[in-house]
Amino acid sequence: MLKILIPSIFLVLTAWTTPKKQLWSTTLAYSLIIALISLSWLVNPTETGWSFLGPHMATDPLSTPLLVLTCWLLPLMILASQNHISPEPENRQRMYITLLTSLQIFLIMAFGATEMFMFYVMFEATLIPTLIIITRWGNQAERLNAGTYFLFYTLAGSLPLLVALLLLQNSTGTLSLLTLQFCPPFPLSSYADKMWWAGCLIAFLVKMPLYGAHLWLPKAHVEAPIAGSMVLAAVLLKLGGYGMMRMMMLLEPLTKELSYPFIIFALWGIIMTGSICLRQTDLKSLIAYSSVSHMGLVAAGILIQTPWGFSGALILMIAHGLTSSALFCLANTNYERTHSRTMVLARGLQMALPLMTSWWFIASLANLALPPLPNLMGELMIISSLFNWSWWTLTLTGIGTLITAAYSLYMFLMTQRGPLPKHIIALDPSHSREHLLLALHLLPLLLLILKPEIIWGWTA
Amino acid sequence: MSAWRRVHAKLRALRGVVPSARDTHRHTWTVDGSLTLCRSFSTGRPAQNDFFKDLEAQLAAARKKMVDALPGSSWTPLQVNPNLPPERVDIVIVGGGVVGWSIAYWLKQRDGMREGHRVLVVEKDPTYSQASTVLSAGGIRQQFSLLENIQLSLASAEFLRNINVQLGVLNEDPIDLQFNHSGYLFLANEAVAHIMEENYNIQRHAGAKVSLLSPKRLKEKFPWINTDGVALASYGLENEGWFDPWTLLNAFKRKALSLGVIQCCGEVTDFTCSKKYMMTADGDLEPVKRIKSVKVQMPNSLEYQPVECAVVVNAAGAFSGKLTEMLGIGSGPKDSIAGVPLPVEPRKRYVYVAHCPEGPGLDTPFLIDYSGVYFRREGLGGNYIAGASPEEEEEPDVSNLEVDHQFFEEKVWPALANRVPAFEKLKVTSAWAGFYDYNTFDQNCIIGTHPLISNMYFATGFSGHGLQHSPAVGCAVAELILDGGFQTFDLSAFGFKRILDQEPILERNIV
């Protein structure tokens, strides 16, 4: 664990000491090396237990895929930000890289935490660099509003979590996951226990986000710069899912009844946010709502608490992380050329940038869960486990899948096909950097088809 | 009970701390030195009510402050100039005349949602003191010789007739354009009668309701005309006349604002562009620019806001040439594309208001004589508006909008009195001058992109018929931007290409 953390901490130092001319290439190479070393976490000798165990941090088959995704994302974020940050003064560029790296450090510590309290502190700590990135480097005046929504939604959700964790510490004497997994189920029956149950989960449901508490996400995603959008979509939302998965084992037997409304919220959210996607004019907003839709499915899968549900949720989280991040990068390539996020002003790009169209195509197909991509595998496992729980969920998830396909195709056809407007005839050709960025997003996704064992958690 | 006593005690304490209005009143009386009365003259209201009324007012103020601070309101802790345009919009329309607002309306009208693409209209003079729109004579006619012009006028007339269907806003007053359907009457002498006949055929073919009148029929219809020298007259029967340009401008503006267009009072002083060089077929390197942001300067201030945008529409009318110069069009080497400037410049035209009680009656059309003089009825009080196009060599100075009354005496009145004998006895009551956004190349509009600026659309150079074409041109430009090509009207003949190829499309018989 430390072999990744300490290099990440030193990456912060590197960002401040490298000469300006080599800043971006050095940090890119450094973070890529960290990412490649982090792949060693995937080798898991103990099939069901904790590996790389230390007093405070460890990895297990649930956190490993998320850890690797986090480490993989940093070079991609640096690659994506290179162009739009380059006109800024030197110190601000260094600050930007520092914020991204510190975000990675907090995320590694969060996913690798063995103690729930450390996870909580790191969960909160990730808010600060993200808030700074959104409000300082965002594009327009609404970013202040977006930052406020983002911060206060998450904080308001996580305050009950703090109280719940302290209560748990009081009653069990420990918050370490290593010991809590062996605890007998708690006798939870009173009204206060139900509040405690809700307190444990609200923070993560807001983070996921669950449909009713999702308002911060479109704002934050749209106003954030590209690296902010990438890390939000790919990893920060998964913090919520991961936290829920960890808390689930402690929350028996209340979950059987109390999760009912949240499952319904999640499933309804898939359809509602999917329908909203069909009416969006802003490209980034469309991708943001599509994130809410997919994470609704993840939330439902986790709340079902079956092995297939958990497995499907984890696979979908990883696959969605890569896909959503790739879509945001594609939207950014559009934005850097036309300076507009409105889809109707940048249409027919297949005529102008045909190679980018192939990336758009693969990313849209991944978004609509085309077999044999892991997106589909995750969705299928969740849908099956939901069906097992209740036949009626099939209507909601079926319509949800249909709408997902509809808006993914809508996004592809709106941006790539159609008449090319007169004002985007002379565009910059696609840079190799952009091709590399998208390849690094979508190649792992395609490779995961061949070895899904790494991302399906404990069902070995 | 004790609670009330506590309140009383607090009241007494408070009265010492917070002086009520009555107390201060009392104080001023003693300071004045006049005979003081310890009783005020107000029919006594006990102090308690004052306190609670103050409390209510204070609570209401506090509640208002809290509501302002909540996310839904537009209050921010950093109070910036509210007139500043947003930092990023999708489409910037430079020029808030009737063409600019028409384009803004059509752009937002198409998507039907308030939250679609963002459109900003930048106008440097909200009083419109020099704008061509409001200084125009306000006429609309289909009697052109170019098919596109006829189609634009026909469509615009249709739009204006149903203006409340198109531009009506819920719960607001209906629009009254004061559209006088009195028609245009063109007079031709022997030399140009054949042109008039050819034009008549084109107009009829396009669907305009025009009729040709012989001098005898002309005299029968309008007895006040002196038909000496007139060989043929062309009279518009439908969809021609004049209307109030200010009302049209405000109607477009009101509807566009209700659809979510953002407006800003400021002047575009600069553009930030990205430039790259492309090789033409002849092997020359031409600089192709892409506008990244528009610098909007606030009026009478050093403050400016760079507005990042995807598309810029140049609807600046008479000042379009100046705007295009900022992008370097016209300042390249002579034989390159960059060396060809936008051929739009302001030309001053005078309009004189005359009162003539014995003049022609209510059915007076907008009469345009072959000598270039024109007049029309204005209102119902025997007033007429008259003017003439000056010769090419005698173009007036465009640095101001001063009126040259000598021009009326020497050029307009004699021709007018010759054509309408009743006008011998007219009296000029007022006059004004306005600019034509005159296309020096062929006096027809320029619509479309420029080859060297990727994302600027022109909608300018109307040379005197911008107002009458504005609804249709707005629709065409909106389709061009959003659909990638003309759908309803094919205005590709008006592209910038003809200026580069030096192939003018001229109207015959224009005023």
Side-chain angles (χ1 to χ4, degrees):
Chain A
M1 186 58 79
L2 275 181
K3 68 177 177 291
I4 305 293
L5 260 186
I6 301 222
S8 299
I9 296 174
F10 278 103
L11 180 52
V12 177
L13 276 170
T14 314
W16 285 98
T17 53
T18 322
K20 182 175 188 216
K21 282 175 72 74
Q22 291 121 20
L23 177 62
W24 288 92
S25 32
T26 312
T27 45
L28 177 65
Y30 195 144
S31 53
L32 207 50
I33 294 174
I34 297 179
L36 290 170
I37 300 178
S38 76
L39 290 175
S40 68
W41 277 327
L42 290 171
V43 174
N44 211 351
T46 67
E47 286 274 345
T48 54
W50 301 86
S51 325
F52 300 95
L53 196 55
H56 307 286
M57 303 182 69
T59 71
D60 84 332
L62 174 56
S63 54
T64 305
L66 291 164
L67 278 166
V68 175
L69 181 64
T70 310
C71 294
W72 186 243
L73 213 69
L74 185 59
L76 300 183
M77 287 196 278
I78 292 178
L79 207 48
S81 316
Q82 211 165 326
N83 196 13
H84 78 90
I85 293 285
S86 46
E88 300 223 2
E90 187 184 327
N91 277 344
R92 259 183 236 158
Q93 296 188 23
R94 296 184 193 274
M95 193 64 209
Y96 195 70
I97 299 177
T98 309
L99 284 167
L100 295 179
T101 317
S102 61
L103 201 52
Q104 163 155 333
I105 297 171
F106 291 140
L107 282 166
I108 294 176
M109 290 208 274
F111 285 127
T114 51
E115 172 127 20
M116 282 309 290
F117 213 80
M118 176 162 167
F119 173 75
Y120 175 78
V121 174
M122 290 304 137
F123 178 84
E124 298 293 305
T126 56
L127 292 181
I128 297 173
T130 320
L131 181 70
I132 299 176
I133 292 177
I134 294 177
T135 49
R136 174 61 191 81
W137 277 277
N139 283 319
Q140 37 191 93
E142 284 83 358
R143 67 185 188 270
L144 297 174
N145 205 6
T148 313
Y149 264 73
F150 166 69
L151 187 70
F152 283 103
Y153 262 72
T154 320
L155 279 181
S158 51
L159 197 57
L161 177 63
L162 177 63
V163 175
L165 284 177
L166 291 173
L167 277 172
L168 189 57
Q169 163 84 343
N170 251 353
S171 61
T172 59
T174 176
L175 277 180
S176 172
L177 289 165
L178 306 167
T179 27
L180 278 177
Q181 65 187 349
F182 296 118
C183 255
F186 305 113
L188 303 168
S189 51
S190 71
Y191 194 55
D193 289 327
K194 295 190 168 78
M195 305 275 278
W196 175 80
W197 181 93
C200 282
L201 281 187
I202 298 259
F204 304 121
L205 289 171
V206 169
K207 193 81 178 172
M208 286 282 278
L210 186 68
Y211 174 57
H214 69 289
L215 227 47
W216 62 270
L217 188 135
K219 289 190 203 290
H221 271 122
V222 165
E223 304 304 331
I226 177 61
S229 294
M230 284 167 73
V231 77
L232 263 174
V235 187
L236 288 176
L237 303 187
K238 285 47 179 182
L239 260 183
Y242 173 76
M244 256 168 65
M245 285 187 184
R246 289 292 187 207
M247 294 300 288
M248 271 301 156
M249 62 176 169
L250 310 164
L251 297 173
E252 282 304 307
L254 281 176
T255 319
K256 276 217 315 234
E257 278 96 34
L258 287 181
S259 62
Y260 207 126
F262 296 107
I263 298 180
I264 300 302
F265 260 116
L267 292 175
W268 188 238
I270 303 174
I271 299 181
M272 292 304 286
T273 47
S275 314
I276 294 176
C277 280
L278 283 170
R279 290 293 286 168
Q280 284 297 321
T281 51
D282 182 338
L283 186 54
K284 274 180 95 165
S285 192
L286 196 154
I287 304 171
Y289 275 107
S290 132
S291 278
V292 181
S293 181
H294 287 277
M295 294 312 279
L297 203 53
V298 169
I302 299 175
L303 287 166
I304 286 291
Q305 291 183 279
T306 60
W308 269 35
F310 265 44
S311 215
L314 187 54
I315 298 177
L316 188 54
M317 284 205 287
I318 303 300
H320 171 261
L322 289 168
T323 314
S324 208
S325 184
L327 282 171
F328 274 116
C329 290
L330 286 166
N332 190 46
T333 63
N334 254 10
Y335 179 77
E336 282 183 1
R337 284 169 176 75
T338 57
H339 288 280
S340 163
R341 295 194 306 260
T342 314
M343 286 195 286
V344 78
L345 288 175
R347 309 163 72 178
L349 287 171
Q350 186 165 12
M351 286 291 119
L353 304 168
L355 284 178
M356 209 40 93
T357 303
S358 46
W359 293 121
W360 270 103
F361 191 50
I362 300 175
S364 302
L365 290 178
N367 203 22
L368 60 85
L370 188 80
L373 290 167
N375 305 66
L376 178 77
M377 297 305 140
E379 287 196 10
L380 272 184
M381 290 172 85
I382 298 177
I383 293 178
S384 325
S385 59
L386 279 169
F387 182 64
N388 190 21
W389 175 68
S390 158
W391 289 5
W392 299 103
T393 57
L394 194 64
T395 50
L396 293 170
T397 48
I399 297 178
T401 316
L402 183 67
I403 297 182
T404 306
Y407 69 70
S408 299
L409 274 180
Y410 170 69
M411 175 176 64
F412 177 69
L413 293 175
M414 266 301 261
T415 48
Q416 305 306 119
R417 301 281 163 83
L420 185 63
K422 300 281 180 292
H423 56 266
I424 48 175
I425 292 181
L427 286 177
D428 275 352
S430 308
H431 305 176
S432 314
R433 178 184 57 86
E434 294 167 347
H435 284 303
L436 176 65
L437 181 61
L438 289 157
L440 287 178
H441 272 107
L442 296 173
L443 213 56
L445 196 62
L446 296 170
L447 287 174
L448 279 173
I449 303 174
L450 303 172
K451 197 172 171 65
E453 296 93 78
I454 8 181
I455 52 170
W456 66 26
W458 295 287
T459 40
Chain B
M1 203 53 197
S2 57
W4 278 111
R5 269 201 226 113
R6 261 183 260 132
V7 168
H8 272 274
K10 280 204 193 116
L11 278 181
R12 260 183 250 125
L14 267 174
R15 248 211 291 179
V17 170
V18 175
S20 68
R22 241 178 11 143
D23 286 342
T24 10
H25 222 125
R26 218 179 268 160
H27 276 285
T28 45
W29 287 9
T30 54
V31 160
D32 262 345
S34 50
L35 184 63
T36 61
L37 297 168
C38 286
R39 229 179 231 292
S40 77
F41 282 133
S42 63
T43 51
R45 271 179 307 192
Q48 269 139 315
N49 275 1
D50 271 356
F51 169 71
F52 280 118
K53 278 213 177 72
D54 279 347
L55 188 63
E56 266 189 54
Q58 281 171 24
L59 275 180
R63 189 157 12 114
K64 185 171 176 310
K65 211 184 286 193
M66 279 199 297
V67 162
D68 277 345
L70 281 179
S73 76
S74 56
W75 179 84
T76 78
L78 326 154
Q79 300 283 358
V80 288
N81 182 354
N83 189 37
L84 275 183
E87 294 169 20
R88 201 196 71 73
V89 293
D90 292 313
I91 304 173
V92 174
I93 300 177
V94 182
V98 70
V99 172
W101 278 107
S102 169
I103 298 175
Y105 158 72
W106 281 103
L107 278 171
K108 286 302 277 191
Q109 194 258 359
R110 269 173 49 99
D111 64 20
M113 310 179 240
R114 281 193 71 100
E115 301 304 321
H117 43 268
R118 284 152 64 108
V119 179
L120 171 74
V121 174
V122 182
E123 167 60 43
K124 73 177 179 195
D125 178 12
T127 62
Y128 292 97
S129 55
Q130 295 199 324
S132 315
T133 301
V134 297
L135 297 167
S136 152
I140 177 167
R141 58 176 162 115
Q142 279 84 50
Q143 296 182 47
F144 292 100
S145 62
L146 278 178
L147 183 63
E148 288 92 350
N149 276 336
I150 303 173
Q151 286 170 340
L152 285 177
S153 279
L154 269 174
S156 298
E158 192 58 43
F159 183 93
L160 294 176
R161 279 166 44 167
N162 301 319
I163 194 165
N164 275 302
V165 170
Q166 300 271 10
L167 298 183
V169 176
L170 200 59
N171 286 340
E172 296 273 355
D173 297 330
I175 304 158
D176 175 19
L177 266 189
Q178 292 155 39
F179 193 166
N180 286 280
H181 292 257
S182 299
Y184 267 63
L185 180 65
F186 277 84
L187 302 177
N189 57 10
E190 277 296 335
V192 294
H194 65 286
I195 303 180
M196 180 173 271
E197 236 187 288
E198 284 160 22
N199 289 353
Y200 166 78
N201 285 325
I202 303 175
Q203 288 150 19
R204 288 301 299 222
H205 186 69
K209 308 271 196 305
V210 190
S211 67
L212 283 180
L213 300 173
S214 68
K216 192 160 76 72
R217 291 294 311 276
L218 184 64
K219 190 72 181 178
E220 276 170 33
K221 200 159 174 52
F222 303 114
W224 38 265
I225 291 186
N226 166 21
T227 54
D228 289 343
V230 174
L232 197 58
S234 169
Y235 182 46
L237 298 167
E238 239 185 58
N239 289 330
E240 288 196 354
W242 58 88
F243 57 91
D244 180 20
W246 179 245
T247 311
L248 181 64
L249 177 66
N250 275 333
F252 270 128
K253 193 162 153 179
R254 188 180 74 176
K255 183 73 177 176
L257 288 174
S258 81
L259 289 172
V261 172
I262 310 164
Q263 76 165 334
C264 161
C265 168
E267 187 177 348
V268 173
T269 48
D270 200 8
F271 294 95
T272 319
C273 310
S274 66
K275 188 158 90 167
K276 57 185 178 185
Y277 286 89
M278 292 183 137
M279 189 168 295
T280 62
D282 307 326
D284 308 318
L285 276 179
E286 294 278 356
V288 175
K289 287 190 173 179
R290 183 172 194 85
I291 300 174
K292 289 201 295 198
S293 74
V294 175
K295 178 172 153 186
V296 178
Q297 184 103 17
M298 290 296 108
N300 301 323
S301 159
L302 286 177
E303 213 180 346
Y304 67 90
Q305 168 80 291
V307 179
E308 198 184 337
C309 59
V311 170
V312 174
V313 177
N314 185 348
F319 314 110
S320 323
K322 207 158 58 98
L323 193 73
T324 326
E325 271 166 27
M326 290 178 206
L327 286 161
I329 300 296
S331 40
K334 272 297 154 203
D335 56 346
S336 67
I337 302 180
V340 177
L342 182 73
V344 174
E345 59 180 49
R347 288 283 173 94
K348 190 156 79 166
R349 296 286 179 266
Y350 305 112
V351 176
Y352 305 93
V353 182
H355 175 70
C356 180
E358 286 128 34
L362 284 179
D363 66 348
T364 315
F366 199 136
L367 190 146
I368 306 187
D369 190 37
Y370 51 81
S371 57
V373 163
Y374 60 85
F375 83 94
R376 70 157 170 89
R377 175 178 60 80
E378 169 65 27
L380 305 167
N383 294 312
Y384 302 88
I385 283 183
S389 300
E391 300 292 317
E392 195 62 46
E393 309 79 50
E394 299 168 353
E395 284 290 345
D397 173 36
V398 294
S399 57
N400 56 36
L401 282 176
E402 305 275 316
V403 177
D404 179 11
H405 292 276
Q406 279 304 106
F407 183 71
F408 183 77
E409 301 278 334
E410 288 166 15
K411 296 280 166 27
V412 182
W413 201 354
L416 213 52
N418 176 38
R419 189 53 61 209
V420 182
F423 279 155
E424 303 250 342
K425 298 205 211 55
L426 62 73
K427 185 172 163 57
V428 175
T429 47
S430 99
W432 69 78
F435 290 125
Y436 272 13
D437 49 342
Y438 195 79
N439 180 351
T440 51
F441 185 63
D442 57 9
Q443 292 86 52
N444 269 315
C445 56
I446 304 176
I447 294 183
T449 48
H450 190 280
L452 294 184
I453 309 176
S454 310
N455 53 352
M456 169 177 264
Y457 287 90
F458 292 116
T460 177
F462 292 95
S463 314
H465 26 94
L467 177 66
Q468 57 187 286
H469 287 164
S470 58
V473 160
C475 177
V477 173
E479 285 169 354
L480 188 59
I481 296 177
L482 297 177
D483 288 337
F486 293 113
Q487 312 276 356
T488 327
F489 314 100
D490 183 15
L491 304 181
S492 37
F494 291 137
F496 196 80
K497 194 170 174 308
R498 74 184 195 273
I499 298 173
L500 294 173
D501 295 340
Q502 292 291 308
E503 289 167 16
I505 44 170
L506 288 160
E507 272 280 333
R508 303 150 98 204
N509 260 7
I510 50 145
V511 65

